[in-house]
Amino acid sequence: MILGMSIESFTLLHVVISLIGIAAGFVVIFGMMSAKRLPALTVLFLVTTVLTNLTGFLFPFKGITPGIVIGILSIFVLGLAIFALYGGHLAGKWRGTYVIASIVALYFNFFILIVQSFQKNPALQSLAPTQSELPFKVAQLVTLVLFVILGTLAFKKFRFAD
């Protein structure tokens, strides 16, 4: 039991929070690409992505896993994004820092979604049972390229926003 919940219920809560964070993150990124701030969705993205990481740390684990490492890195970049937004007020270089940190945090969350999808979905698992097979590598490479493109566009457009 975690926080008084069965592991299944806690997992569902964690996944729902994560999916909300991913969806809100994409809306925020597309807002950046349109030079719009979207404050309410930005808060939703940041809070749910932080909660995704924090709830992820509550699962039972033995030793350091790649998910734990990504969670730690994600907390760091989320802290940077939050400081750039609320402490630096997006002034000067803080605007670019915020965009990059937000993109990286969303990428980490989406990266884990892909990993979990290949672990838990039988059809995907049959394509890449050890996650070292070509379908998994292609999915991760396409995702990385997509996020680099989105990040570049958001950085160029949002840095000139009011």
Side-chain angles (χ1 to χ4, degrees):
M1 302 220 26
I2 303 172
L3 300 176
M5 303 170 80
S6 70
I7 192 79
E8 294 81 13
S9 295
F10 186 75
T11 300
L12 178 62
L13 175 65
H14 173 76
V15 169
V16 168
I17 291 169
S18 178
L19 292 175
I20 292 169
I22 289 169
F26 275 112
V27 174
V28 168
I29 299 309
F30 285 110
M32 289 179 190
M33 291 166 49
S34 300
K36 295 178 183 164
R37 286 193 187 184
L38 307 174
L41 283 170
T42 298
V43 169
L44 180 65
F45 162 61
L46 293 171
V47 167
T48 54
T49 306
V50 167
L51 286 174
T52 296
N53 286 289
L54 295 179
T55 58
F57 292 135
L58 295 177
F59 284 98
F61 65 93
K62 294 179 182 168
I64 299 297
T65 65
I68 296 293
V69 172
I70 290 175
I72 292 167
L73 292 172
S74 182
I75 288 290
F76 173 76
V77 296
L78 282 163
L80 197 56
I82 291 166
F83 183 81
L85 179 60
Y86 297 110
H89 305 287
L90 302 178
K93 297 197 185 284
W94 287 116
R95 187 177 304 271
T97 301
Y98 167 71
V99 171
I100 293 167
S102 295
I103 294 284
V104 171
L106 180 59
Y107 170 73
F108 284 156
N109 207 2
F110 201 81
F111 176 89
I112 295 298
L113 173 65
I114 292 171
V115 170
Q116 291 294 317
S117 295
F118 272 89
Q119 286 179 348
K120 309 293 185 201
N121 181 299
L124 293 175
Q125 190 178 37
S126 70
L127 292 174
T130 67
Q131 296 186 354
S132 61
E133 294 80 9
L134 187 60
F136 180 78
K137 290 178 180 179
V138 168
Q140 292 295 12
L141 179 62
V142 168
T143 299
L144 178 61
V145 169
L146 172 71
F147 273 86
V148 167
I149 291 167
L150 291 175
T152 301
L153 293 172
F155 186 84
K156 287 180 179 180
K157 298 287 185 172
F158 192 66
R159 67 182 181 168
F160 298 112
D162 291 316

